[in-house]
Amino acid sequence: MLCLLNAAKEFEDVFAGIRVSTRPDCINGEILDILDAFHVTAIELGAQSMCEEVLLLNERGHTAKDVVNASQLIRERGISLGLQMMTGLYGSDAAKDSMTAERFIALRPDTVRIYPTVVMKNTTLERYYLNGEYRLLDLEESVALCAALIRMFEAERIPVIRLGLHYSDSLKENGYCGNYHPAFKELCESKLLYDSFLEKSREFDTKKLTVFLNPGSLSKFYGQKKCNRTKLTGMGYDLQVGFDDTLGKYEMRIEVSA
């Protein structure tokens, strides 16, 4: 750790800050003294789940209480707190993942990252997967779950700064990637906006509507290859789009078209 911190130290005037990631059970006063001395500005904890049973089944080696304690210690130092979770872990389900999000929110992190579980070859999880003890969420299920989690965090103004794994050849070659997509976050955002439109549009007796969006959200609303737009047109909606830069990226306003 000291080797990496020393390497970064000479650039501390160049970059806005130093961000590190670690296990929740690796945080204590002594470690934080060292990180403070090297002017670390953000610490992310690989919490993964706040369900004790899920942590135990996946042999994480730490507890939910470790996450709470580490988060409090980081907060007391005035260091930015990030929390990372994995959805669809062995022994978990949508309700347990939502509970993890709720407990994250209670800790008031500055940022969150969400990583859907991918089964890698030559692992214990692969054995569970192949013998039927573990069912990997498919892409549609994973998108629906993570879209709901985005909504939860955004409602509390906690930004999700990463959603889904970075692409790598190793991931594709050595993983069971049925729920992997290189633009996973965009899929989730499109799902969130699509569901939001359907919910809000029920207030109207007509399907001739104008949707007002933040200018940066148009492609997300339309979906990849305009799949959302195609589905809505097939449902009989006659849509116009307007822009309102006072709206958040996941917000919309709907009016009856003139």
Side-chain angles (χ1 to χ4, degrees), residues 3-252:
C3 227
L4 294 171
L5 290 171
N6 274 312
K9 188 173 179 60
E10 64 179 290
F11 300 103
E12 65 180 331
D13 294 331
V14 179
F15 300 109
I18 299 174
R19 179 186 299 268
V20 300
S21 299
T22 189
R23 295 170 54 91
D25 52 329
C26 288
I27 291 293
N28 55 41
E30 181 182 358
I31 292 295
L32 287 172
D33 285 341
I34 294 171
L35 296 178
D36 260 343
F38 281 89
H39 305 129
V40 168
T41 52
I43 300 174
E44 295 191 19
L45 301 177
Q48 316 314 356
S49 176
M50 293 298 281
C51 176
E52 299 292 2
E53 178 190 10
V54 172
L55 292 172
L56 189 61
L57 284 171
N58 289 273
E59 302 179 11
R60 285 295 302 164
H62 68 81
T63 66
K65 183 62 177 173
D66 290 328
V67 179
V68 173
N69 291 341
S71 297
Q72 290 173 343
L73 288 172
I74 292 167
R75 278 284 188 214
E76 288 168 3
R77 295 295 183 113
I79 299 173
S80 177
L81 170 66
L83 295 176
Q84 301 173 3
M85 70 178 288
M86 293 187 73
T87 57
L89 282 165
Y90 176 51
S92 194
D93 55 30
K96 291 174 182 175
D97 287 342
S98 295
M99 181 273 286
T100 289
E102 289 170 357
R103 294 195 65 185
F104 273 19
I105 288 167
L107 295 172
R108 306 310 305 173
D110 297 293
T111 61
V112 167
R113 296 179 194 256
I114 304 173
Y115 298 107
T117 300
V118 171
V119 178
M120 302 303 291
K121 295 176 182 177
N122 301 313
T123 62
T124 301
L125 192 57
E126 181 196 33
R127 187 171 75 248
Y128 294 157
Y129 174 66
L130 293 178
N131 69 19
E133 291 181 62
Y134 170 69
R135 190 181 75 83
L136 184 65
L137 295 178
D138 64 28
L139 183 60
E140 184 177 354
E141 292 171 315
S142 195
V143 165
L145 171 59
C146 291
L149 297 179
I150 291 176
R151 186 188 294 271
M152 291 175 67
F153 287 118
E154 284 291 328
E156 297 293 331
R157 301 187 182 280
I158 298 171
V160 178
I161 61 172
R162 179 73 198 177
L163 181 51
L165 294 167
H166 290 283
Y167 174 83
S168 73
D169 291 335
S170 176
L171 177 67
K172 296 295 289 184
E173 292 167 6
N174 299 300
Y176 296 86
C177 298
N179 66 342
Y180 172 78
H181 193 283
F184 185 78
K185 186 175 183 180
E186 184 178 344
L187 294 181
C188 295
E189 292 174 324
S190 293
K191 169 70 172 169
L192 192 158
L193 287 167
Y194 177 79
D195 289 347
S196 180
F197 171 81
L198 290 180
E199 180 182 336
K200 292 177 182 294
S201 67
R202 293 192 188 103
E203 301 171 11
F204 300 90
D205 295 328
T206 177
K207 291 190 174 183
K208 190 174 182 179
L209 301 169
T210 299
V211 185
F212 291 91
L213 303 163
N214 182 288
S217 298
L218 179 62
S219 64
K220 296 180 180 66
F221 176 64
Y222 278 174
Q224 283 205 329
K225 299 180 180 179
K226 298 188 177 180
C227 61
N228 287 351
R229 182 75 186 243
T230 300
K231 284 189 289 186
L232 292 171
T233 300
M235 295 165 63
Y237 285 99
D238 180 2
L239 298 180
Q240 302 296 319
V241 174
F243 298 110
D244 181 347
D245 57 14
T246 67
L247 292 170
K249 61 180 176 179
Y250 302 127
E251 294 178 334
M252 67 176 62

